[in-house]
Amino acid sequence: MENKQETTASLPLADTNCCASDCCTDDNTNKSATELKELVQEKYGAIARRAAGGGCCGDQSMDYSIMADEYDTLGGYAPDADLKLGCGLPTEFAKIKAGDVVVDLGSGAGNDCFVARSETGDTGQVIGVDFTDDMLMKARKNTLTLGYNNVSFVKGDIEDIPLPAETADVVVSNCVFNLVPNKAKAFSETHRILKTGGHFSISDIVLEGNLPQALQKDAEMYAGCVAGAIQHEEYLGLLRQQGFKNLQVQKRKAIVLPEEVLSQHLSAAEIAAFSKEFGIYSITVYGEK
């Protein structure tokens, strides 16, 4: 399995009032799938309304951008659509060609859609799928500003994508599947909407080792809702189970929790063990149908 690039990102401390906003929760472990989806909609709706971006569970003072990769060297980059909510650059690795139909799952304000549009050109089509009304509103406004007539956005849950089978040549997604309760269903839907011979490039958060219970709240706050992420090998295994082949890890980036956060919950010995035995990673994965 190819590992094209590996880097390390250290997440800074947030403002102590981070979780005073309406997008936070003290405990997600016992919530139903419906409640988790409502939480995500509420949280990302609030971020879209703020327009300036912000953290997964924070306000504008939280530097969530440490987790995101910079888009400004990519063609089609639209700063107003970049809310710094991703954890990779899937469009950079997606092998998009002129004329392709590209679907972006969890498209937010349209950032990856506009980059994809620069690759697929006037002869292609880009479709963003998101289930947050405020994000869809912002994405459509950005599209009008940019004057694109082949970029569109539809409301939908990626566990039940509102597109016909065999729609897309390429699927991209940026830090979204880690927020989905039923990842197997979402991967199955991704496989369904891809054309035979099509492929995806997905950036997401995965874990290695068991996340200590005492850190689940903080890990979610600082690492983009990592409490919803699953083990690296389990993630790849789910993709294989849905029929994807030629899986490749195109990029892997370690996410490091600050010691100041760890010391609030763990002893010095536990921190040392945590650092050796546990990891949070952003990965970009490629696969074919």
Side-chain angles (χ1 to χ4, degrees):
M1 187 174 293
E2 179 184 359
N3 186 352
K4 184 172 181 178
Q5 183 177 355
E6 181 159 358
T7 57
T8 301
S10 180
L11 291 166
L13 287 168
D15 186 275
T16 55
N17 291 322
C18 165
C19 274
S21 71
D22 62 359
C23 69
C24 288
T25 181
D26 290 333
D27 183 7
N28 288 330
T29 57
N30 296 318
K31 289 185 179 293
S32 70
T34 299
E35 288 172 324
L36 288 172
K37 289 178 183 180
E38 290 173 350
L39 174 66
V40 171
Q41 286 179 312
E42 181 181 5
K43 172 177 54 186
Y44 286 100
I47 291 171
R49 290 190 293 274
R50 287 199 297 269
C56 170
C57 206
D59 58 22
Q60 294 180 26
S61 64
M62 181 175 176
D63 185 12
Y64 182 63
S65 64
I66 190 67
M67 198 171 182
D69 288 337
E70 293 299 324
Y71 274 78
D72 53 5
T73 62
L74 300 184
Y77 173 62
D80 286 345
D82 186 6
L83 301 186
K84 305 296 183 183
L85 297 173
C87 57
L89 295 172
T91 41
E92 181 181 25
F93 298 98
K95 304 178 184 180
I96 298 167
K97 305 186 300 297
D100 278 347
V101 176
V102 181
V103 174
D104 179 15
L105 298 178
S107 49
N111 191 25
D112 281 295
C113 289
F114 302 134
V115 174
R117 196 269 179 197
S118 74
E119 299 289 336
T120 196
D122 293 335
T123 60
Q125 182 181 8
V126 181
I127 305 168
V129 179
D130 205 286
F131 73 168
T132 304
D133 289 329
D134 290 287
M135 284 293 184
L136 290 165
M137 186 182 303
K138 187 167 181 62
R140 288 165 180 156
K141 180 179 178 181
N142 287 332
T143 304
L144 287 173
T145 300
L146 293 166
Y148 294 145
N149 59 13
N150 62 340
V151 179
S152 60
F153 296 89
V154 298
K155 184 173 182 178
D157 187 328
I158 66 173
E159 292 179 9
D160 187 18
I161 301 171
L163 296 174
E166 303 270 335
T167 292
D169 297 292
V170 183
V171 168
V172 296
S173 187
N174 197 347
C175 213
V176 172
F177 284 90
N178 63 308
L179 298 171
V180 176
N182 190 341
K183 293 173 180 55
K185 184 65 165 63
F187 289 148
S188 174
E189 281 289 276
T190 302
H191 191 274
R192 182 184 65 81
I193 68 165
L194 269 173
K195 297 177 182 178
T196 301
H199 63 270
F200 69 78
S201 185
I202 296 171
S203 295
D204 218 339
I205 296 298
V206 296
L207 310 177
E208 289 188 358
N210 295 318
L211 181 67
Q213 285 287 329
L215 289 174
Q216 284 197 6
K217 177 182 173 181
D218 286 286
E220 178 182 327
M221 186 187 306
Y222 295 112
C225 300
V226 74
I230 60 176
Q231 297 295 310
H232 187 168
E233 287 305 315
E234 181 184 0
Y235 193 99
L236 298 179
L238 286 175
L239 288 167
R240 292 188 191 99
Q241 288 172 20
Q242 300 310 318
F244 291 109
K245 57 187 180 180
N246 193 26
L247 294 179
Q248 302 171 33
V249 176
Q250 297 171 306
K251 182 177 179 179
R252 171 171 147 136
K253 177 176 68 176
I255 307 298
V256 181
L257 295 177
E259 187 168 344
E260 291 92 337
V261 173
L262 298 178
S263 63
Q264 294 175 25
H265 304 284
L266 305 175
S267 68
E270 288 171 330
I271 291 173
F274 174 88
S275 300
K276 292 179 181 179
E277 299 172 5
F278 180 79
I280 304 169
Y281 297 93
S282 162
I283 61 170
T284 300
V285 183
Y286 170 92
E288 299 171 351
K289 177 176 177 179

